[in-house]
Amino acid sequence: MSLRPLGNSPLSIAPLAFGGNVFGWSADEARSFELLDAFVDAGCNLIDTADVYPAWVPGNQGGESEAIIGRWLKRSGKRDKVVIATKVGKWAEQPGLSPVNLQQAVDRSLQRLQTDYIDLYLAHEDDASVLLADTLGGFARLIEQGKVRAIGASNYSAIRFADALAAAREHNLPRYEVLQPEYNLLERTGYENELEPLMRAENIGVISYYALASGFLSGKYRDEADLAKSSARASAVKRYLNPRGLQVLAALDAVAATHQATVAQVALAWLIARPSITAPIASATTVTQLNDLIGAVKLQLSADEIAELDRVSA
């Protein structure tokens, strides 16, 4: 599988990333191991997680996803085949982006992941209480210590990301090489209007989350009755059950039929074809689902098909 450079970092990744938020939640450890093996054996390599995943599950505290990945790394011996991305700043046990918290949090993540280094370490959300230069300085020390290879940010506004780039230049600090924004066919405006021009101008890698709009773009949810298929996703999916959402599904159906593909594959292929997107993040809870998602990497949409999807989702 051809790899794509991740910003100006030394990292290169396949055009599809696996979202590890399901590990320890909707995928138990045995299933998680199966998914990770299948993902890597297919030629993909970026595994995205966070220290907080999945603290929202009753009985969990956070850190479970990293710990499962760590046990898989130890058992599989595939550390050199994967790019591990994890995040800091959003977990109540390790909140914020102060240099002290970054140092404490990275050591705990490394312990759970059972590895000596994290390939990509991301600020999970902005922390306006800490100077950007202080946060970047904290990340710089982690890079100097060999604990982190590259850094990035999730959920930053265009203004704050641009300010972070300026702070890195001014203070001769490592810059954020990656942005992780919400972006899909139904959530386009926030990314395209402000963030995308900056990402392209600065050669920033982009790994977008909610690639399938919480599952709506899989095509499984087409009316109120379908919401019963997943109580966990019902509230998130319901907001897309409107004329625009159904119009997008109809367009995806038409393209999928032309290629003998699935709706999810077409939705991901649209993202993969976007020049500014390095890789969308998608999750699966069965190997069958995962193989379907990986099929999107080989799906080549025509310029007319992309234009039509652009039109109906505008």
mmCIF file of all heavy atoms in Angstrom, residues 256-273:
data_model
loop_
_atom_site.group_PDB
_atom_site.id
_atom_site.type_symbol
_atom_site.label_atom_id
_atom_site.label_comp_id
_atom_site.label_asym_id
_atom_site.label_seq_id
_atom_site.Cartn_x
_atom_site.Cartn_y
_atom_site.Cartn_z
ATOM 1 N N ALA A 256 -21.884 4.119 -5.236
ATOM 2 C CA ALA A 256 -21.566 2.765 -4.772
ATOM 3 C C ALA A 256 -22.024 1.720 -5.779
ATOM 4 O O ALA A 256 -21.313 0.742 -6.051
ATOM 5 C CB ALA A 256 -22.205 2.513 -3.408
ATOM 6 N N ALA A 257 -23.213 1.928 -6.349
ATOM 7 C CA ALA A 257 -23.736 0.969 -7.323
ATOM 8 C C ALA A 257 -22.850 0.913 -8.564
ATOM 9 O O ALA A 257 -22.598 -0.164 -9.120
ATOM 10 C CB ALA A 257 -25.166 1.350 -7.700
ATOM 11 N N THR A 258 -22.342 2.060 -8.990
ATOM 12 C CA THR A 258 -21.470 2.111 -10.164
ATOM 13 C C THR A 258 -20.189 1.307 -9.953
ATOM 14 O O THR A 258 -19.701 0.636 -10.869
ATOM 15 C CB THR A 258 -21.112 3.574 -10.488
ATOM 16 O OG1 THR A 258 -22.312 4.297 -10.781
ATOM 17 C CG2 THR A 258 -20.168 3.651 -11.674
ATOM 18 N N HIS A 259 -19.665 1.362 -8.740
ATOM 19 C CA HIS A 259 -18.379 0.715 -8.452
ATOM 20 C C HIS A 259 -18.530 -0.655 -7.779
ATOM 21 O O HIS A 259 -17.519 -1.276 -7.443
ATOM 22 C CB HIS A 259 -17.532 1.617 -7.547
ATOM 23 C CG HIS A 259 -17.044 2.861 -8.209
ATOM 24 N ND1 HIS A 259 -15.859 2.913 -8.908
ATOM 25 C CD2 HIS A 259 -17.585 4.110 -8.281
ATOM 26 C CE1 HIS A 259 -15.683 4.140 -9.370
ATOM 27 N NE2 HIS A 259 -16.709 4.887 -9.004
ATOM 28 N N GLN A 260 -19.777 -1.075 -7.575
ATOM 29 C CA GLN A 260 -20.024 -2.293 -6.798
ATOM 30 C C GLN A 260 -19.305 -2.208 -5.453
ATOM 31 O O GLN A 260 -18.643 -3.141 -5.001
ATOM 32 C CB GLN A 260 -19.589 -3.543 -7.571
ATOM 33 C CG GLN A 260 -20.412 -3.796 -8.832
ATOM 34 C CD GLN A 260 -20.031 -5.095 -9.520
ATOM 35 O OE1 GLN A 260 -18.858 -5.422 -9.655
ATOM 36 N NE2 GLN A 260 -21.043 -5.853 -9.938
ATOM 37 N N ALA A 261 -19.456 -1.055 -4.824
ATOM 38 C CA ALA A 261 -18.830 -0.767 -3.543
ATOM 39 C C ALA A 261 -19.915 -0.538 -2.501
ATOM 40 O O ALA A 261 -21.111 -0.565 -2.807
ATOM 41 C CB ALA A 261 -17.944 0.472 -3.662
ATOM 42 N N THR A 262 -19.504 -0.319 -1.260
ATOM 43 C CA THR A 262 -20.452 -0.003 -0.201
ATOM 44 C C THR A 262 -20.506 1.504 0.002
ATOM 45 O O THR A 262 -19.597 2.243 -0.406
ATOM 46 C CB THR A 262 -20.071 -0.679 1.119
ATOM 47 O OG1 THR A 262 -18.814 -0.130 1.573
ATOM 48 C CG2 THR A 262 -19.945 -2.186 0.953
ATOM 49 N N VAL A 263 -21.575 1.947 0.638
ATOM 50 C CA VAL A 263 -21.743 3.375 0.919
ATOM 51 C C VAL A 263 -20.586 3.893 1.768
ATOM 52 O O VAL A 263 -20.038 4.980 1.512
ATOM 53 C CB VAL A 263 -23.091 3.606 1.625
ATOM 54 C CG1 VAL A 263 -23.180 5.012 2.202
ATOM 55 C CG2 VAL A 263 -24.248 3.371 0.648
ATOM 56 N N ALA A 264 -20.185 3.124 2.778
ATOM 57 C CA ALA A 264 -19.076 3.544 3.643
ATOM 58 C C ALA A 264 -17.788 3.692 2.844
ATOM 59 O O ALA A 264 -17.012 4.634 3.053
ATOM 60 C CB ALA A 264 -18.885 2.552 4.780
ATOM 61 N N GLN A 265 -17.536 2.779 1.927
ATOM 62 C CA GLN A 265 -16.330 2.866 1.111
ATOM 63 C C GLN A 265 -16.308 4.146 0.285
ATOM 64 O O GLN A 265 -15.272 4.804 0.167
ATOM 65 C CB GLN A 265 -16.227 1.646 0.192
ATOM 66 C CG GLN A 265 -15.836 0.370 0.910
ATOM 67 C CD GLN A 265 -15.903 -0.849 0.010
ATOM 68 O OE1 GLN A 265 -16.533 -0.821 -1.057
ATOM 69 N NE2 GLN A 265 -15.265 -1.935 0.426
ATOM 70 N N VAL A 266 -17.440 4.514 -0.279
ATOM 71 C CA VAL A 266 -17.491 5.731 -1.097
ATOM 72 C C VAL A 266 -17.289 6.973 -0.230
ATOM 73 O O VAL A 266 -16.553 7.898 -0.605
ATOM 74 C CB VAL A 266 -18.823 5.815 -1.864
ATOM 75 C CG1 VAL A 266 -18.904 7.125 -2.654
ATOM 76 C CG2 VAL A 266 -18.995 4.628 -2.799
ATOM 77 N N ALA A 267 -17.912 7.002 0.947
ATOM 78 C CA ALA A 267 -17.748 8.156 1.846
ATOM 79 C C ALA A 267 -16.290 8.322 2.256
ATOM 80 O O ALA A 267 -15.780 9.449 2.330
ATOM 81 C CB ALA A 267 -18.632 7.983 3.078
ATOM 82 N N LEU A 268 -15.609 7.217 2.513
ATOM 83 C CA LEU A 268 -14.186 7.285 2.868
ATOM 84 C C LEU A 268 -13.332 7.637 1.655
ATOM 85 O O LEU A 268 -12.366 8.395 1.765
ATOM 86 C CB LEU A 268 -13.725 5.956 3.471
ATOM 87 C CG LEU A 268 -14.275 5.610 4.851
ATOM 88 C CD1 LEU A 268 -13.862 4.193 5.242
ATOM 89 C CD2 LEU A 268 -13.798 6.603 5.908
ATOM 90 N N ALA A 269 -13.667 7.088 0.502
ATOM 91 C CA ALA A 269 -12.901 7.374 -0.716
ATOM 92 C C ALA A 269 -12.971 8.857 -1.069
ATOM 93 O O ALA A 269 -11.999 9.430 -1.580
ATOM 94 C CB ALA A 269 -13.416 6.522 -1.872
ATOM 95 N N TRP A 270 -14.118 9.490 -0.799
ATOM 96 C CA TRP A 270 -14.247 10.940 -1.024
ATOM 97 C C TRP A 270 -13.244 11.697 -0.157
ATOM 98 O O TRP A 270 -12.583 12.637 -0.617
ATOM 99 C CB TRP A 270 -15.675 11.382 -0.724
ATOM 100 C CG TRP A 270 -15.918 12.857 -0.877
ATOM 101 C CD1 TRP A 270 -16.198 13.537 -2.029
ATOM 102 C CD2 TRP A 270 -15.885 13.840 0.173
ATOM 103 N NE1 TRP A 270 -16.354 14.888 -1.767
ATOM 104 C CE2 TRP A 270 -16.172 15.092 -0.430
ATOM 105 C CE3 TRP A 270 -15.665 13.780 1.541
ATOM 106 C CZ2 TRP A 270 -16.224 16.275 0.315
ATOM 107 C CZ3 TRP A 270 -15.710 14.953 2.283
ATOM 108 C CH2 TRP A 270 -15.991 16.183 1.662
ATOM 109 N N LEU A 271 -13.100 11.284 1.088
ATOM 110 C CA LEU A 271 -12.134 11.916 1.987
ATOM 111 C C LEU A 271 -10.703 11.645 1.539
ATOM 112 O O LEU A 271 -9.856 12.548 1.517
ATOM 113 C CB LEU A 271 -12.328 11.390 3.416
ATOM 114 C CG LEU A 271 -13.506 11.941 4.215
ATOM 115 C CD1 LEU A 271 -13.756 11.093 5.460
ATOM 116 C CD2 LEU A 271 -13.263 13.393 4.608
ATOM 117 N N ILE A 272 -10.416 10.389 1.189
ATOM 118 C CA ILE A 272 -9.062 10.011 0.784
ATOM 119 C C ILE A 272 -8.627 10.792 -0.458
ATOM 120 O O ILE A 272 -7.446 11.111 -0.630
ATOM 121 C CB ILE A 272 -8.994 8.487 0.548
ATOM 122 C CG1 ILE A 272 -9.136 7.748 1.885
ATOM 123 C CG2 ILE A 272 -7.712 8.077 -0.147
ATOM 124 C CD1 ILE A 272 -9.347 6.246 1.752
ATOM 125 N N ALA A 273 -9.587 11.120 -1.325
ATOM 126 C CA ALA A 273 -9.279 11.845 -2.561
ATOM 127 C C ALA A 273 -9.066 13.343 -2.336
ATOM 128 O O ALA A 273 -8.551 14.030 -3.222
ATOM 129 C CB ALA A 273 -10.402 11.637 -3.575
#
